[in-house]
Amino acid sequence: TVGDTGVDLVQTNDGNYALLCEASSSNMDIVGAHGGEDYWLAKVDTEGEIIWSKTYGGSYLDAPRALIEGSDGNLLMTGYTLSIDGDIYTTFDNFNIFTVKADGANGEILWRRTTGGSQSDQGAAIVEIDPLNYLVAGNTESVDGDIIAKHGLHEIWLFQLSAYPTPVENIEQTAIRITTNTIFLDQAYTYQIFHTNGQLILNGSANNTIDISRLSDDIYILQICKKQRCYKQKFIRPKQ
């Protein structure tokens, strides 16, 4: 009832359609709104009836700009965000590119990435390389963060986005010890744990320990970050 704008529409392999909107509403068809404007993704049938719908973003402005269906049947969307909460993970208080991969069957988040720097960065298009790697195109005014080799004030930015991120700069002298139920760290970090298929499993902030007791016995990727410096390593959760 407030104002919702259609952004992109794709026909999915199952014969239905995926509709991407910038949604300001929080009632009627819009379920789970975060506040401000959100990414709103809806799967609809050939009669226009909603099969499912989901919102993504934070409490401020989240503006989607492009949607594709991947070869694995899941849905990829990109745009930009000014939020710093909800589904958004960033240390920059400005526009950043916000990319989400959602399950094509129900819209649940498989993973999401916030990329950019301290100035305005906006996503405009996304294409698939393979189910774990994507190219995102947009524009940037930043000269820090994820931006390298910038030439002017306002530039086109093209980058490859992987299902799990690769650190630009390792945190030196990081002490990590992994037991059956706990990861022990030498200091406080923000962290993300991914399955090797790229799905985000756990994320948050930890002083010295991360509880992994709910993880199944499998191979995972741990990324810890502090002040834009990140360290990543693969680990196997030991059997109990």
Side-chain angles (χ1 to χ4, degrees), residues 184-203:
F184 294 92
L185 306 172
D186 63 338
Q187 55 183 295
Y189 296 101
T190 59
Y191 70 88
Q192 293 176 311
I193 295 177
F194 301 88
H195 193 272
T196 51
N197 66 7
Q199 182 179 0
L200 178 64
I201 305 298
L202 292 174
N203 62 82

Side-chain angles (χ1 to χ4, degrees), residues 43 69 78 90 114 161 179 203 237:
K43 189 78 167 286
E69 182 183 36
T78 195
T90 181
T114 309
L161 192 63
T179 64
N203 62 82
R237 181 174 183 262

Side-chain angles (χ1 to χ4, degrees), residues 43-214:
K43 189 78 167 286
V44 299
D45 62 21
T46 55
E47 301 298 320
E49 295 295 323
I50 294 176
I51 300 171
W52 55 257
S53 73
K54 294 286 184 181
T55 57
Y56 316 93
S59 60
Y60 205 50
L61 171 64
D62 310 293
R65 288 297 177 261
L67 171 69
I68 63 169
E69 182 183 36
S71 59
D72 57 4
N74 296 312
L75 298 165
L76 278 294
M77 65 205 95
T78 195
Y80 58 92
T81 180
L82 197 54
S83 299
I84 56 173
D85 54 7
D87 298 321
I88 314 300
Y89 296 93
T90 181
T91 59
F92 292 119
D93 189 11
N94 208 325
F95 288 112
N96 282 157
I97 295 176
F98 179 45
T99 306
V100 181
K101 184 171 185 178
D103 192 322
N106 53 30
E108 294 295 326
I109 293 176
L110 298 177
W111 53 258
R112 69 269 202 192
R113 300 284 180 275
T114 309
T115 48
S118 60
Q119 301 302 311
S120 178
D121 312 295
Q122 300 182 12
I126 185 169
V127 296
E128 180 184 89
I129 300 172
D130 58 54
L132 292 178
N133 294 281
Y134 304 87
L135 282 178
V136 178
N139 58 74
T140 180
E141 295 179 359
S142 297
V143 295
D144 52 9
D146 300 313
I147 315 300
I148 57 175
K150 191 166 184 293
H151 304 285
L153 176 62
H154 191 85
E155 294 187 336
I156 295 170
W157 185 26
L158 178 67
F159 61 94
Q160 181 174 329
L161 192 63
S162 297
Y164 46 83
T166 300
V168 175
E169 185 176 6
N170 285 345
I171 297 173
E172 298 177 357
Q173 298 178 344
T174 298
I176 299 176
R177 182 167 63 89
I178 300 173
T179 64
T180 301
N181 295 316
T182 307
I183 297 175
F184 294 92
L185 306 172
D186 63 338
Q187 55 183 295
Y189 296 101
T190 59
Y191 70 88
Q192 293 176 311
I193 295 177
F194 301 88
H195 193 272
T196 51
N197 66 7
Q199 182 179 0
L200 178 64
I201 305 298
L202 292 174
N203 62 82
S205 299
N207 288 328
N208 295 103
T209 60
I210 302 172
D211 181 8
I212 57 171
S213 60
R214 292 177 294 173

Side-chain angles (χ1 to χ4, degrees), residues 33-48:
H34 298 270
E37 291 81 32
D38 290 324
Y39 287 28
W40 183 55
L41 180 65
K43 189 78 167 286
V44 299
D45 62 21
T46 55
E47 301 298 320

